């Protein structure tokens, strides 16, 4: 982007030098009107080129700003999804640790011959909580997939709108 700004500055400087040269030539007696007209035409062409470059720079800057905004939105969405996934993963780890501890206690009780209804209830409750957390993890994964599909659909519909507004496929702007 700085290269474009530097080129624009150089072109503007050149145009100013040409303009001052034309003024000096027009003040000299002996310079022909044809030379002056040719130089003025060249100056006008350079001004047009400079104007076009300025418009291109503005368009590039706008496209860059739009792309940055789009990427920031995507980053926010993905960050929120990651936070959700981390919470679900933490719950799964805790439930799995509880389930392992309960199963160890149940195995020990079976080996000792002292299985109680409380141990069985705790085992069933831990397993039920594990299923709930697994369902929550599946839901989070499904939400992530739906979010990606929604983003793809939005991108495709934006592309289709842009395509239909140009009126031709593959047309240069």
């Amino acid at each position: 982007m700085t290269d474009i700004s530097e080129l624009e500055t150089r072109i503007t400087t050149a145009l100013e030098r040409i303009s001052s040269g034309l003024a000096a030539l027009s003040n000299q007696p002996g310079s022909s009107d044809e030379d002056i007209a040719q130089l003025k035409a060249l100056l006008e062409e350079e001004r047009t080129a400079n104007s076009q470059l300025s418009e291109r720079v503005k368009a590039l800057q706008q496209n860059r700003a739009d792309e940055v905004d789009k990427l920031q939105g995507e980053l926010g969405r993905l960050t929120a999804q990651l936070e959700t996934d981390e919470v679900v993963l933490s719950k799964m780890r805790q439930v799995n640790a509880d389930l392992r501890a309960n199963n160890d206690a149940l195995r020990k009780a079976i080996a000792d011959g002292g299985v109680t209804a409380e141990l069985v209830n705790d085992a069933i409750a831990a397993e039920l909580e594990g299923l709930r957390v697994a369902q929550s993890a599946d839901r989070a994964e499904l939400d992530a997939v739906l979010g990606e599909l929604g983003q793809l659909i939005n991108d495709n519909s934006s592309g289709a709108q842009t395509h239909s507004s140009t009126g031709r496929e593959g047309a240069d702007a």
Side-chain angles (χ1 to χ4, degrees):
M1 194 57 75
T2 59
D3 292 337
I4 293 173
S5 297
E6 183 180 313
L7 288 173
E8 186 176 1
T9 303
R10 289 174 61 191
I11 289 172
T12 303
T13 304
L15 289 174
E16 289 171 359
R17 284 193 318 238
I18 291 170
S19 181
S20 64
L22 281 175
L25 280 177
S26 64
N27 291 336
Q28 291 179 353
S31 60
S32 71
D33 291 334
E34 189 175 296
D35 289 340
I36 293 173
Q38 184 181 9
L39 289 174
K40 285 184 178 182
L42 287 173
L43 177 62
E44 191 57 38
E45 286 177 18
E46 289 300 321
R47 284 185 178 152
T48 302
N50 187 30
S51 174
Q52 289 172 349
L53 284 174
S54 295
E55 290 300 317
R56 284 183 183 171
V57 167
K58 287 177 187 175
L60 287 173
Q61 288 172 340
Q62 182 61 43
N63 288 343
R64 181 176 168 259
D66 291 346
E67 191 65 26
V68 166
D69 290 344
K70 179 181 173 184
L71 291 174
Q72 285 176 339
E74 181 71 9
L75 177 64
R77 186 183 66 78
L78 291 175
T79 301
Q81 183 63 45
L82 181 62
E83 289 171 357
T84 301
D85 290 348
E86 286 175 355
V87 168
V88 170
L89 182 61
S90 175
K91 285 181 185 178
M92 284 186 78
R93 285 182 181 147
Q94 181 60 43
V95 167
N96 283 337
D98 292 346
L99 190 56
R100 271 190 240 107
N102 197 335
N103 284 342
D104 288 342
L106 194 56
R107 272 191 222 104
K108 184 178 180 191
I110 288 173
D112 293 344
V115 176
T116 64
E118 183 180 338
L119 279 177
V120 173
N121 283 341
D122 288 346
I124 291 172
E127 187 174 346
L128 183 59
E129 183 62 24
L131 290 172
R132 285 184 182 134
V133 170
Q135 181 186 19
S136 177
D138 290 345
R139 180 63 192 185
E141 186 178 355
L142 182 60
D143 287 343
V145 169
L146 289 174
E148 287 298 317
L149 287 174
Q151 186 66 30
L152 288 172
I153 289 169
N154 287 339
D155 289 348
N156 284 339
S157 66
S158 295
Q161 288 174 354
T162 303
H163 175 69
S164 65
S165 67
T166 60
R168 297 185 304 189
E169 185 174 330
D172 290 333

